[in-house]
Amino acid sequence: MLNDQINTKIRFNSYAFALTNCILGCALGFFYGHVTFETIITAISISITGVSVLALCNYSIDYSRAYKLHLKDKKNGIISPIMVGDMPVTQLRKRMAIMTLIATVFGAIAIYIALGSNIQVLSWFIFLCVMCVLATLFYNVSALYLYRGIGAIAIFLLFGMASVVCAQFLIVAASRSTIDIYPDTILLAFSSGAASLMILYGRSIRMMVNDTPNVIRKSFVLSFGYKITSIYLLALLLANIFFSVLACVSSHRPIEALLLLIGFIPMSYQVYTIIRHMKMSVILKQSFNNLMSYCCINNLVWVIILTVDYWLYN
């Protein structure tokens, strides 16, 4: 019962993390652009698109797990339907189709408002978005891509870089300001990318110690061991802190970096807890859930900083 509650919170916090990444990118766009009716509609559309894409990815993960378990039962001579919990796979496919439709419609609205008259930029933008989504879906449905690291690259590009950079770019374009990608946007995109990889790592560790482990035979943790991957997790935490603080010091008020450093204290503690209790399922799940919550909070702290700077200094 406790595991089910934690798993539900983890799924909810994953949506919150995707949403706050998009909100952060939109806040950067408002800071360098203008707050108008068009930019507000663009920001809402971007946020809905980001959450819908993550929902589609989560559904594809569920489908992949159910299909692999079905194949495992089939090899053992057990004939079983493909089920995701109590849900038949046909219902899951309908949900995936709905999420695809929602992401397409609202993504098209955001892109049209921002770049509707610029066909050349529009075509390249759509191409890059489609490639990011396809790469992420390949990660979700194939353990081979996870083992080769392609999935981590896709997560870094889509839920880290693209959610921040593309959101800022579209909001500035929708405000009819000079289209550019600013230094703090790049730095915060790298920070969000590092946070996304931290969450991906936490998810892979959580699956390893689950009472009903996933059928992935090869993973990053199994390939390199707990000690080396712990160093990798610490490096991601330091990169997250470094790029976030550097963005604040270089493009905003250095005093505001103190708020960020205070916000990173509980996140650092959760990383410490994950490393220390790496083989304890319940503690690990709760720490992983808390880690995503603090990543969301740090994004919202940045939104507050941008809002204060916009109203006080613009």
Side-chain angles (χ1 to χ4, degrees):
M1 183 66 180
L2 178 60
N3 282 335
D4 292 338
Q5 292 177 353
I6 295 177
N7 288 336
T8 301
K9 291 180 180 178
I10 289 174
R11 180 60 62 92
F12 174 80
N13 282 339
S14 68
Y15 292 128
F17 178 67
L19 178 62
T20 54
N21 272 356
C22 293
I23 290 175
L24 174 59
C26 292
L28 286 162
F30 287 128
F31 182 79
Y32 290 109
H34 304 288
V35 180
T36 64
F37 177 76
E38 288 79 8
T39 55
I40 292 175
I41 295 299
T42 303
I44 294 174
S45 299
I46 290 171
S47 301
I48 294 175
T49 302
V51 174
S52 299
V53 170
L54 179 61
L56 178 61
C57 293
N58 283 335
Y59 288 149
S60 66
I61 291 174
D62 294 338
Y63 180 83
S64 177
R65 290 177 181 173
Y67 184 71
K68 289 175 182 177
L69 291 174
H70 170 74
L71 290 180
K72 185 177 180 181
D73 290 340
K74 189 175 180 180
K75 288 182 181 179
N76 294 330
I78 302 173
I79 300 177
S80 61
I82 304 177
M83 299 287 292
V84 181
D86 297 330
M87 183 193 307
V89 72
T90 53
Q91 185 175 350
L92 181 64
R93 288 172 181 168
K94 291 179 180 178
R95 293 189 180 185
M96 292 176 69
I98 292 173
M99 288 298 106
T100 303
L101 180 62
I102 293 175
T104 302
V105 170
F106 283 96
I109 291 173
I111 293 173
Y112 178 76
I113 293 174
L115 304 171
S117 60
N118 194 332
I119 302 301
Q120 184 176 2
V121 176
L122 179 64
S123 60
W124 276 106
F125 194 88
I126 294 176
F127 171 75
L128 292 175
C129 290
V130 170
M131 292 303 296
C132 286
V133 173
L134 289 178
T136 307
L137 291 177
F138 278 134
Y139 149 72
N140 290 328
V141 299
S142 175
L144 180 62
Y145 288 91
L146 176 62
Y147 177 68
R148 292 180 176 178
I150 297 178
I153 295 173
I155 293 295
F156 178 82
L157 291 177
L158 182 61
F159 295 108
M161 299 292 292
S163 61
V164 176
V165 173
C166 293
Q168 182 254 285
F169 181 87
L170 289 176
I171 295 295
V172 172
S175 64
R176 304 300 179 254
S177 300
T178 301
I179 298 178
D180 199 358
I181 297 175
Y182 298 89
D184 55 344
T185 301
I186 299 297
L187 292 172
L188 287 176
F190 276 106
S191 178
S192 296
S196 300
L197 292 180
M198 288 170 59
I199 292 173
L200 175 63
Y201 173 84
R203 174 183 168 273
S204 64
I205 290 290
R206 182 172 60 87
M207 290 168 57
M208 292 293 300
V209 299
N210 196 0
D211 294 332
T212 55
N214 192 267
V215 292
I216 294 178
R217 296 179 180 179
K218 295 181 179 180
S219 70
F220 178 68
V221 179
L222 282 180
S223 300
F224 296 98
Y226 287 106
K227 291 184 178 180
I228 293 179
T229 54
S230 296
I231 297 174
Y232 167 75
L233 179 60
L234 287 174
L236 290 176
L237 174 64
L238 293 176
N240 190 2
I241 297 173
F242 173 77
F243 286 117
S244 183
V245 173
L246 182 61
C248 189
V249 172
S250 61
S251 301
H252 300 275
R253 302 298 180 271
I255 190 65
E256 294 169 337
L258 293 176
L259 293 175
L260 298 173
L261 291 174
I262 293 172
F264 277 114
I265 293 175
M267 182 187 296
S268 302
Y269 176 75
Q270 295 306 320
V271 170
Y272 166 77
T273 304
I274 289 174
I275 294 174
R276 184 178 179 183
H277 302 286
M278 199 168 283
K279 297 182 180 180
M280 299 178 67
S281 177
V282 176
I283 296 178
L284 185 61
K285 286 181 179 181
Q286 187 61 56
S287 297
F288 174 57
N289 182 49
N290 293 337
L291 178 63
M292 282 195 293
S293 297
Y294 291 126
C295 287
C296 296
I297 291 173
N298 279 14
N299 283 340
L300 295 178
V301 169
W302 254 110
V303 172
I304 294 173
I305 291 174
L306 291 167
T307 303
V308 171
D309 285 357
Y310 180 84
W311 290 110
L312 291 182
Y313 304 108
N314 275 9

